[in-house]
Amino acid sequence: MQLISQQIQQRWPQILPYWQLARLDRPIGSLLLLWPTWAALWIAAKGWPGLHLFAVFTLGVILTRAAGCAINDFADRNIDGHVKRTNQRPLATGAATARGALLLFAGLMLLAFLLVLSTNQLTVLLSLPALALAFCYPFAKRYTHLPQVVLGAAFSMGIPMAFAAVQDEVPAVAWLMFTANLLWTVAYDTFYAMVDRDDDLKIGVKSTAILFGEMDRVMTGSLQAMVIFALLMLGSREALGALYYCGVAIAAGLFCYQQWLVRDRQRDPCFKAFLNNNWVGAAIFSGIFTHFLVS
């Protein structure tokens, strides 16, 4: 991604701020969305979901995540300049415009919606609350200490949509996976919010990191424990084999490592704990993928 950014800087420097605005130079957010979405596709299809649905959901996740970043920075355009981690974002520095951010959001969501139109009616209908959540999340931090819950719901909508696209229904197992992913998102985004907690307290932005206070490690640890329990329920319900449970065991070990990282609540280790969740998603999906590969 860094190489692509350098090429854009050399050839189309006017585009680079919007590439960065969409976080296309930082794929971690897309990966955190892709792992559970792919897991849902594989569970729903009992294996390879087919090239069409795989392409639709992979591209759709990348586009919607990029759109979400654009609208997030639009909402925070007067705040990011006061936060150490975000003060060099394109809208904060003036490299991109608020109008450009809104146009980027609309254009990316339109492309994602066109992809969804190639599926079925139920999936299209489910895309509407997904769009609403993506738009509302950036503004939630003004009104509630639980914006991470809104983000978790937004990040989890790919799961019922995947089941709808494959099975033309949303069974109970989809909502079990939705709940597990929502809890996981709240946990790792709390680590992310712990990086900004001092700045957020100064400027009045709300988060679960502020809500939990000194109970942050207990709360994130409890959320992670509930995620593992939900994943064990999923394995039992879907009769997933030993390879799946190996993936869950690796995820549990990574959760313990993350708790060790955030033990002193320092900025860099908390951010490292957030990033480490990419491997959690990879481990769980790998367990699901290999189960169906060998079964």
Side-chain angles (χ1 to χ4, degrees), residues 236-267:
S236 175
R237 183 184 180 93
E238 293 297 303
L240 301 175
L243 291 170
Y244 169 75
Y245 288 105
C246 286
V248 174
I250 292 170
L254 290 170
F255 282 159
C256 293
Y257 171 61
Q258 291 166 21
Q259 288 298 322
W260 180 81
L261 283 174
V262 303
R263 66 193 185 283
D264 296 321
R265 301 179 176 87
Q266 297 299 310
R267 285 178 184 261

Side-chain angles (χ1 to χ4, degrees), residues 3-127:
L3 180 60
I4 295 174
S5 297
Q6 290 173 352
Q7 291 295 319
I8 293 173
Q9 174 68 50
Q10 293 172 4
R11 298 184 182 184
W12 307 287
Q14 69 277 14
I15 296 176
L16 183 63
Y18 295 95
W19 176 266
Q20 295 171 334
L21 183 65
R23 303 291 197 283
L24 292 172
D25 58 329
R26 298 183 179 183
I28 180 64
S30 294
L31 289 169
L32 289 171
L33 275 162
L34 282 170
W35 296 126
T37 303
W38 284 342
L41 281 173
W42 256 255
I43 293 286
K46 308 300 181 186
W48 171 243
L51 181 59
H52 171 245
L53 288 181
F54 179 76
V56 165
F57 278 87
T58 300
L59 292 173
V61 161
I62 294 170
L63 289 169
T64 53
R65 183 259 178 167
C69 291
I71 197 65
N72 179 78
D73 284 12
F74 171 80
D76 291 348
R77 64 193 184 280
N78 297 321
I79 294 175
D80 282 344
H82 303 283
V83 178
K84 180 179 180 180
R85 183 180 53 82
T86 61
N87 61 16
Q88 294 303 307
R89 285 181 175 174
L91 283 176
T93 62
T97 67
R99 180 175 179 273
L102 288 175
L103 289 173
L104 181 63
F105 170 76
L108 291 170
M109 291 306 285
L110 177 60
L111 290 174
F113 186 67
L114 290 174
L115 285 172
V116 174
L117 288 177
S118 70
T119 60
N120 56 30
Q121 183 180 19
L122 180 57
T123 311
V124 173
L125 290 174
L126 286 170
S127 72

Side-chain angles (χ1 to χ4, degrees), residues 100-274:
L102 288 175
L103 289 173
L104 181 63
F105 170 76
L108 291 170
M109 291 306 285
L110 177 60
L111 290 174
F113 186 67
L114 290 174
L115 285 172
V116 174
L117 288 177
S118 70
T119 60
N120 56 30
Q121 183 180 19
L122 180 57
T123 311
V124 173
L125 290 174
L126 286 170
S127 72
L128 300 178
L131 168 62
L133 286 166
F135 181 81
C136 291
Y137 160 69
F139 302 96
K141 67 189 77 172
R142 311 298 196 270
Y143 305 103
T144 174
H145 279 96
L146 298 172
Q148 281 70 30
V149 176
V150 181
L151 180 69
F155 269 32
S156 303
M157 280 304 299
I159 294 171
M161 289 176 66
F163 275 88
V166 173
Q167 300 182 2
D168 202 20
E169 64 175 350
V170 185
V173 67
W175 297 114
L176 174 61
M177 294 181 71
F178 179 97
T179 302
N181 195 63
L182 189 152
L183 295 171
W184 178 41
T185 306
V186 174
Y188 68 64
D189 203 59
T190 298
F191 293 149
Y192 195 68
M194 287 167 69
V195 177
D196 298 335
R197 179 159 45 192
D198 292 343
D199 292 328
D200 288 346
L201 283 167
K202 292 176 184 177
I203 59 181
V205 170
K206 300 176 174 63
S207 72
T208 48
I210 293 172
L211 176 66
F212 296 159
E214 293 183 357
M215 293 290 289
D216 49 9
R217 292 187 61 200
V218 173
M219 293 300 296
T220 53
S222 299
L223 289 167
Q224 291 172 328
M226 288 189 281
V227 171
I228 296 300
F229 181 70
L231 291 173
L232 294 175
M233 288 178 62
L234 173 65
S236 175
R237 183 184 180 93
E238 293 297 303
L240 301 175
L243 291 170
Y244 169 75
Y245 288 105
C246 286
V248 174
I250 292 170
L254 290 170
F255 282 159
C256 293
Y257 171 61
Q258 291 166 21
Q259 288 298 322
W260 180 81
L261 283 174
V262 303
R263 66 193 185 283
D264 296 321
R265 301 179 176 87
Q266 297 299 310
R267 285 178 184 261
D268 289 344
C270 286
F271 188 64
K272 188 176 181 179
F274 162 74

